[in-house]
Amino acid sequence: MRIVLLGAPGSGKGTQAENIVARYGITHVSTGDLLRAEVAAGTELGKKAKAIMDAGGLVSDEIVLGMIEERMNKGLSAGFLLDGFPRTLAQAEALDAMLAKLEKPLDCTLFFDVDFDEITKRLLSRGRADDNEDTIRKRLAVYEEQTAPLISYYEGTGKLKTVKGVGSVDEISQRIFDVLDAHR
Ligand code: AP5
């Protein structure tokens, strides 16, 4: 199973990713986690990315696609879950091209539908480095401008499934499993 998780910051992608990979035995690839690992290791890439992440912007497509390509070249299991990637139309198109070459097209894009008030509450109570009010506002604006257009992009491929992302974590996982089980 090859899945993309699409949703605003704080919509629950990382939380649900853990339950999905545990159930289906697929590999979790989070570009946010990959970038935070670069920052923690103090690499050149991490230094470039840190200021952008702290300000709530998007790291360049070039850097993110380079990281994804490197991850793919290391070998991905037959199934994978992409979390926080793609985030721009250019990333989505590059991903489609990469997967077409590997003959591993996506099965499904899950869009987590959560309103911005709920998201802001969740992120303020988490308190990650980029979870302050100003940065959250910026992340949501960037999401609307650059990532939300992917909803219609994936609708156009017939692969978009929308999941209501409000309720308990287990309730939402069950909604996701119902969608994904129908795909197996
Ligand atoms: P990334 O790490 O991808 O962060 P994000 O998209 O901002 O997502 P979050 O981790 O904030 O939210 P989430 O949807 O995973 O929700 P979560 O489960 O954590 O990216 C960070 C930065 O890296 C970006 O801003 C950008 O700079 C850069 N970046 C990453 N990928 C990039 C790319 N492809 N291109 C360019 N730049 C990129 O949940 C959030 C909180 O809510 C948690 O506290 C959780 O416990 C809680 N929660 C979850 N579910 C529920 C629920 N059902 N009820 C109540 N609380 C809940």
Side-chain angles (χ1 to χ4, degrees):
M1 202 177 288
R2 293 178 290 274
I3 308 166
V4 163
L5 295 190
L6 181 63
S11 59
K13 301 182 298 295
T15 304
Q16 294 300 332
E18 283 180 27
N19 290 350
I20 297 170
V21 299
R23 181 176 169 102
Y24 299 100
I26 57 180
T27 306
H28 180 196
V29 180
S30 155
T31 43
D33 288 349
L34 291 174
L35 286 165
R36 279 184 290 276
E38 296 281 346
V39 172
T43 63
E44 278 310 307
L45 191 159
K47 283 179 198 152
K48 270 193 216 160
K50 186 177 185 323
I52 300 167
M53 293 167 78
D54 285 349
L58 289 186
V59 174
S60 73
D61 288 338
E62 193 192 346
I63 288 183
V64 171
L65 287 168
M67 272 183 356
I68 287 284
E69 238 171 77
E70 196 183 314
R71 186 66 191 78
M72 297 252 176
N73 290 339
K74 276 190 198 152
L76 272 182
S77 56
F80 53 80
L81 174 81
L82 300 176
D83 161 8
F85 173 87
R87 240 173 163 101
T88 63
L89 275 175
Q91 290 179 16
E93 286 166 359
L95 174 66
D96 280 348
M98 257 183 246
L99 295 180
K101 234 196 223 165
L102 296 170
E103 298 184 357
K104 287 181 175 176
L106 290 176
D107 293 307
C108 180
T109 297
L110 290 172
F111 166 56
F112 293 170
D113 189 13
V114 184
D115 72 58
F116 284 5
D117 284 347
E118 167 72 14
I119 280 175
T120 305
K121 257 191 268 162
R122 286 183 188 178
L123 294 180
L124 285 176
S125 59
R126 179 174 62 180
R128 202 169 71 189
D130 54 349
D131 285 341
N132 58 74
E133 259 183 69
D134 283 351
T135 308
I136 293 168
R137 212 173 300 118
K138 174 80 195 295
R139 284 158 69 197
L140 292 175
V142 168
Y143 165 78
E144 278 212 304
E145 191 189 316
Q146 306 217 45
T147 309
L150 296 186
I151 298 169
S152 29
Y153 176 84
Y154 284 115
E155 243 163 12
T157 66
K159 289 180 180 166
L160 188 83
K161 299 285 174 198
T162 298
V163 174
K164 191 174 141 221
V166 185
S168 74
V169 169
D170 286 347
E171 276 165 356
I172 299 165
S173 294
Q174 194 52 56
R175 288 177 205 144
I176 294 169
F177 298 159
D178 289 346
V179 170
L180 294 179
D181 285 348
H183 263 279
R184 288 171 111 182

